[in-house]
Amino acid sequence: MQNGTAPRGTGSVGSILSIEHPHIKKWLSALPWGIAVLYGAMAWLAHPSFRLTFFGDVAQLSLSLVLVAAFAANALAAEDRARRFWWLMTLGSVFWLVSQVVWTYYELWERMPSPDPGLGAVLLFLHLAPMTAALTVMPHKGSGIPSLTTLSMGMILTWWLFLYTYLVVPWQYMHASPALCSRAFNSLYTVEDLVFMALLVVLSFHATGGWRKLYLGLLMGSAVYTAGSVVLDRLIDQKHYYTGSRYDLLFILPVAWLAYVAASFPPEPGGLESEAPIRSDGRIGWVTLVALLSVPCLLVWNNFSGVPEGVRDFRLVAGLAAIGMLALMLFAKQYVLAGKLSEALTLSEYNVAELMQLREQLERKATHDSMTGLLNRPTVIMSLERELARARREHGRVAAL
């Protein structure tokens, strides 16, 4: 999870947040730890009851809301790449918050466990897609946003949706198997977490200053959260978990840390680097190319996986649909790129014509008098000297009029 860059112009919402009211971010930095301390005390002292469940769900919702606010505050105070980065992180945290709302609805209103996996699980899985896309923006770079980043991020999101549809959905609807469905979801969610952390490791090596501290802080929180999620999944499967228990600290503490890291990020972190947009587009392009090529590979594996025929057919349809969508986005990228190339060629031709015209004008100014338009004295003398030298070589004569 991440945070913003330099404040925007005076009078903007970002400048209000970062300059006129700095205590807002201080409150956002302190509030997560207050919630975590209170949660820990209740988890150790209270016994399982509906009141404890109510407290646990409300506290988790509050913590998720603080995380959204911390990301959004940085987005309002950021510019260019950092702004895009923070809004994507905010979107991911909103998905996370809504998944908590779904969980709370089932526990407090329906008085039953949330379906696993259900809508809440889908939103929980999707929250990392925009966050992963946010990392591909590389906000520590000082240049503007690469021109094709939006389409590339759309391809990445489509790829994650395909993986969820390919691995999890068949065991929900086509060949219902709660155990296989839960196992597939937990495995895919863990892989998604690992991919997110791997990108944080790479970015922390390339970034400097405040951005490196941010990436390392997010990496630490994500690592603890991922390990805690694995433990909590096992406890839920073993029926040992209840909301408000001490096990919830495996969720509360890393989320509080992530909110703190985002809220304490300085508006001017330093360590910005410059990078040509073409190079940045190329890196993102490699990621999308790997995503595109992985789909047919999974379809080939599907034919030899030994799954039920209904599952195999569903995966084939999902894969073909994903290939179609990814191909359309790739075509859109190529279309935009061709348009930009055409514009660049037209501009180059125009610039060459301008340079030729400017050269002719400079040559004329160098050889002609600006007032009379006739050849100037140095040009006339140079011409005479050239003709005299030629006459000497050829033993001829020269006449001047």
Side-chain angles (χ1 to χ4, degrees), residues 37-53:
V37 171
L38 181 61
Y39 202 104
M42 291 294 293
W44 281 94
L45 299 176
H47 298 287
S49 63
F50 179 76
R51 291 183 179 180
L52 180 61
T53 300

Side-chain angles (χ1 to χ4, degrees), residues 183-225:
R183 187 185 310 165
F185 174 83
N186 293 335
S187 300
L188 183 59
Y189 186 56
T190 301
V191 170
E192 192 180 25
D193 278 327
L194 292 175
V195 170
F196 182 75
M197 289 187 290
L199 287 174
L200 285 173
V201 171
V202 173
L203 292 180
S204 64
F205 275 108
H206 288 85
T208 58
W211 286 106
R212 171 174 287 180
K213 293 180 181 178
L214 173 68
Y215 295 144
L216 291 175
L218 296 176
L219 176 61
M220 182 184 303
S222 299
V224 176
Y225 171 80

Side-chain angles (χ1 to χ4, degrees), residues 90-282:
T90 303
L91 177 61
S93 61
V94 167
F95 283 165
W96 203 351
L97 174 64
V98 177
S99 72
Q100 287 294 127
V101 171
V102 173
W103 177 283
T104 301
Y105 166 78
Y106 277 100
E107 281 207 326
L108 300 185
W109 186 262
E110 298 290 342
R111 302 290 183 94
M112 60 179 292
S114 176
D116 184 28
L119 176 61
V122 174
L123 293 171
L124 181 63
F125 172 79
L126 288 179
H127 92 273
L128 275 177
M131 290 184 172
T132 303
L135 296 182
T136 64
V137 176
M138 292 177 284
H140 60 280
K141 300 295 183 181
S143 57
I145 301 172
S147 57
L148 300 177
T149 297
T150 301
L151 284 171
S152 297
M153 290 188 295
M155 294 180 71
I156 293 173
L157 178 60
T158 302
W159 182 66
W160 280 116
L161 286 172
F162 160 71
L163 289 180
Y164 184 88
T165 304
Y166 181 90
L167 295 173
V168 180
V169 173
W171 306 117
Q172 281 184 279
Y173 304 107
M174 311 310 299
H175 193 276
S177 175
L180 290 176
C181 185
S182 180
R183 187 185 310 165
F185 174 83
N186 293 335
S187 300
L188 183 59
Y189 186 56
T190 301
V191 170
E192 192 180 25
D193 278 327
L194 292 175
V195 170
F196 182 75
M197 289 187 290
L199 287 174
L200 285 173
V201 171
V202 173
L203 292 180
S204 64
F205 275 108
H206 288 85
T208 58
W211 286 106
R212 171 174 287 180
K213 293 180 181 178
L214 173 68
Y215 295 144
L216 291 175
L218 296 176
L219 176 61
M220 182 184 303
S222 299
V224 176
Y225 171 80
T226 301
S229 296
V230 174
V231 175
L232 288 175
D233 288 335
R234 292 183 178 179
L235 292 171
I236 292 173
D237 292 339
Q238 297 170 2
K239 310 299 182 182
H240 293 162
Y241 171 83
Y242 59 90
T243 300
S245 67
R246 288 170 286 182
Y247 300 120
D248 273 339
L249 294 176
L250 295 173
F251 167 82
I252 293 294
L253 292 178
V255 176
W257 169 257
L258 291 170
Y260 168 77
V261 169
S264 60
F265 187 70
E268 297 182 7
L272 290 176
E273 304 173 11
S274 60
E275 180 183 58
I278 294 178
R279 185 181 178 188
S280 182
D281 270 334

Side-chain angles (χ1 to χ4, degrees), residues 2 80 95 151 170 177 212 236 258 290 303 305 327 356-357 378 384 390 395 400:
Q2 281 124 314
D80 296 329
F95 283 165
L151 284 171
S177 175
R212 171 174 287 180
I236 292 173
L258 291 170
V290 171
N303 290 329
S305 60
M356 294 295 294
Q357 185 179 4
L384 286 174
R390 185 169 63 85
H395 304 289

